[in-house]
Amino acid sequence: MRHSTRIAVGPVQFRIGSDWPEPITALEQLYASYPKDDARSADATVRLLAARPWRRWVRPSVHIGGDFVVPDALPLPLSMGLLAAEMGMNLQVALGWRRHMLLHASAVARDGRALIMSGESGSGKSTLAALLGEGDWRLMGDEFTLIEPEGGNALAFPRAVSLKNEAIAEVAARVDAARLGPLIASTPKGDIRHLIPRADAIADMHEPARPALLLFPRFGGNAAIEPMGEGETFVRLTEASTNYVALGEVGFAALTRLVRETPAFGVSYPDSATGIALVEQLWAETK
Amino acid sequence: MPEPTYRAAPPDALRVEPLGELTAIFDRRSMQTHLVVSPMPEILEAMGADDCDAVTLAERLAQHFDFDGADDVQPILAERLSELAAMGLVARA
């Protein structure tokens, strides 16, 4: 790779290489305030490859490569190099990480206790976490939450938050423009703009938090809270975990424990303000 | 036709964790997670070390559960046993 950088997000050290300088420059700006430890070996490698050597000069387009490669990963135009890097980082963690149980879930923490939100794309888990992280919560991550198999604690993975479509304006109105990355318009996922987490979220990213509340948000519809039984929560979280099967009995033990010890609710909400109010209400009730 | 007999999984092969209305069973041999509902966990518990068929199983379960004179207990248990065998949680003896 002609250009490369290293980024540490939570416990994961990434090495990201690219045939072009632009995605690396953009990543280094976005992750400038993250602690650096270039001496540490990389846990995951992401490669942004030119489709063919000459394509580096003519209509550049980015392929995602790395330790794990998904055959149908989209080639993206160079203007979306940052998105390609983000997708590559997610892919390497989702497929390769074994030290913790990985949940496709956002999380925020308060007083050493974690609120974990799991849901499909569009459920609003990322936006809710970003907005809570601008209040008196510590953002742990908008995409992945790691669960320690031995102790059951949640670990943060506070990558730059990937804001999509309407969430961009909603969050941009509340934060310093210096914390926002460039607008990446019309990607396969719509418009995307990254938010650099608050300094405290980055400084405390190695601080574990005890899972205290599991929520399954659903954006749209009337405000509603529905308690979720242990069985349904277990099934949903096996679906939300990218490495449950690979972890074998360790994953089974970690997940049964998480489900038994953590109250879980489905939450529907028509707008972010209502969503945040419901979260605060449930948090107060589970204390 | 005689009732087919079944053998329980070896001790330590299964890790059984009740989760409210469901029971999660981790099979250490296949590394698979099975989610079952009643009466599957009760059947597995009643299997014991020796081979057993639906008749023996019905007798054992009757010691702990009130079947209230129902006459379809055996065929139902035979069906459940064959389902547990298909999941690999019990084996044909």
Side-chain angles (χ1 to χ4, degrees), chain B residues 41-89:
Chain B
E42 292 81 0
I43 292 176
L44 290 175
E45 207 177 324
M47 288 285 289
D50 47 334
D51 299 351
C52 83
D53 59 12
V55 180
T56 323
L57 193 60
E59 286 164 5
R60 284 189 197 160
L61 287 169
Q63 293 170 17
H64 303 284
F65 301 94
D66 183 6
F67 292 135
D68 205 18
D71 52 9
D72 55 353
V73 172
Q74 273 180 38
I76 288 173
L77 286 176
E79 250 179 71
R80 297 292 91 83
L81 278 169
S82 77
E83 288 162 7
L84 286 169
M87 286 190 265
L89 296 175

Side-chain angles (χ1 to χ4, degrees), chain A residues 1-6 15-18 24 28:
Chain A
M1 292 285 110
R2 298 171 161 240
H3 308 275
S4 73
T5 189
R6 280 167 182 267
R15 180 175 60 215
I16 298 148
S18 169
I24 299 299
E28 286 181 335

Side-chain angles (χ1 to χ4, degrees), chain A residues 188-214:
Chain A
K189 297 176 172 186
D191 292 350
I192 288 185
R193 199 165 182 190
H194 291 94
L195 168 72
I196 302 168
R198 241 167 33 186
D200 61 311
I202 297 170
D204 293 345
M205 70 180 179
H206 297 300
E207 286 295 315
R210 195 76 200 158
L213 183 59
L214 276 166

